[in-house]
Amino acid sequence: MVELKLGNLKKKVPKDVSKVEEIIILGAGPAGLSAALYAARAELSPLVITGMELGGQASLTNTIENYPGFPDGVGGSQLGELFQKQAERFGAKFEFDVVTEVDFNEVPFKIKTFSKEFLAKSVIISTGASPNLLNVKGEKELTGKGVSYCGTCDGWFFKDKKIVVVGGGDSALEESLFLTRFASSVTIIHRRDQLRAGKILQTRAFNNPKISFIWDSIIKEIQGDQAVKKVQLENVKTGAHSILETDGVFVFIGHTPNTNLFKSFLDMDQNGFIITNQYVKTNIPGVFAAGEVMDSHFKQVVTSAGMGAAAAIEATKYLESGD
Ligand code: NAP
């Protein structure tokens, strides 16, 4: 056995668990990378287990125009790299692996990845959120064959092609505007007759000659063999069905938080977002959450980064106090 010190608290842990990290950060989006920067500057040598996407969802965004300090905008993946570089400069460590299991029943907390097992005195969860699916016939079969959830990743494949975008929020409009660089036309299909997106994006979309709208409609089926050929639409007001020929379907209808791994330990709301108090503390002392995994409201790079910083500050206080 070896002795683990947490503030004034001392605890014996098995010897093979010789290395107990002060802070492990799960996820490497804006929240996780900002937490890493703050924890590193507190000399805690945080370990970031990155998951699949370094930079998180923001890294899939072509240009971020509303992150302060970049008056001309900044590429999403470039911003992620800058965050990482800054955290590394102060001693943050990175493990490019995916977490498969956690045990928060006792300190040190246990975290398993595909290849290793880690122990930590405190954990910051910043695993973000994943895009929602339409859940209609043809969607799964044609994903990667014309169905996409990322304009930046796949837009290039649709040069001079006709595409449809589903959704009426900021993501749908921002991505539609980006996709007009490639596509010959972008038809936005929205289930209501009013957009949810902010006014600036609405004005840009309405003024773009390549963008048109089909209101009050949903996709019932995506059709095609080796590639998307058409979508079957239903007007939700009249019940009328119609067919629209298209080469691609881009879906931007919100996100679901990546919290399955934590369900048996942490309090969550009915949509699966982790519940924290104003100091980003979860119901388990020593476990904090930041970014889109706990924020269903703001969902901005800048707010996620702020919450990541807050989580690292609180984790540092927790480690010092030994509460
Ligand atoms: P969102 O704001 O939740 O919008 C989702 C859109 O998809 C809504 O228009 C919704 O319709 C529609 N929708 C939901 N489920 C659907 C379904 N099953 N079938 C068809 N349509 C469906 O999501 P988001 O656009 O991803 O934005 C998420 C957050 O990130 C927001 O807070 C947004 O402001 C922020 N964001 C900001 C920026 C920016 O500032 N540049 C960029 C991207 C995202 P209803 O409107 O009828 O509910």
Side-chain angles (χ1 to χ4, degrees), residues 223-290:
Q223 299 171 351
D225 226 351
Q226 290 309 307
V228 169
K229 291 269 179 272
K230 41 185 123 158
V231 288
Q232 190 190 97
L233 302 178
E234 181 185 290
N235 183 305
V236 292
K237 282 193 175 152
T238 65
H241 282 225
S242 60
I243 294 284
L244 179 69
E245 292 195 356
T246 185
D247 301 304
V249 179
F250 283 78
V251 182
F252 304 109
I253 58 167
H255 292 85
T256 300
N258 298 319
T259 51
N260 270 344
L261 288 175
F262 317 113
K263 283 220 153 87
S264 53
F265 302 102
L266 300 182
D267 293 343
M268 294 179 192
D269 70 13
Q270 79 258 31
N271 297 316
F273 289 90
I274 294 172
I275 296 172
T276 65
N277 69 6
Q278 71 193 105
Y279 300 107
V280 293
K281 294 179 181 179
T282 69
N283 54 301
I284 297 185
V287 179
F288 305 82

Side-chain angles (χ1 to χ4, degrees), residues 66 168-171 174 190-192 196 253-255 299-300:
N66 52 9
D170 284 328
S171 298
E174 200 168 73
H190 184 35
R191 64 183 178 181
R192 292 188 294 136
R196 183 178 289 278
I253 58 167
H255 292 85
K299 296 179 164 187
Q300 303 295 305

Side-chain angles (χ1 to χ4, degrees), residues 170 173 195-206:
D170 284 328
L173 263 61
L195 295 169
R196 183 178 289 278
K199 287 286 174 237
I200 293 179
L201 284 171
Q202 288 200 29
T203 306
R204 282 192 204 163
F206 288 137

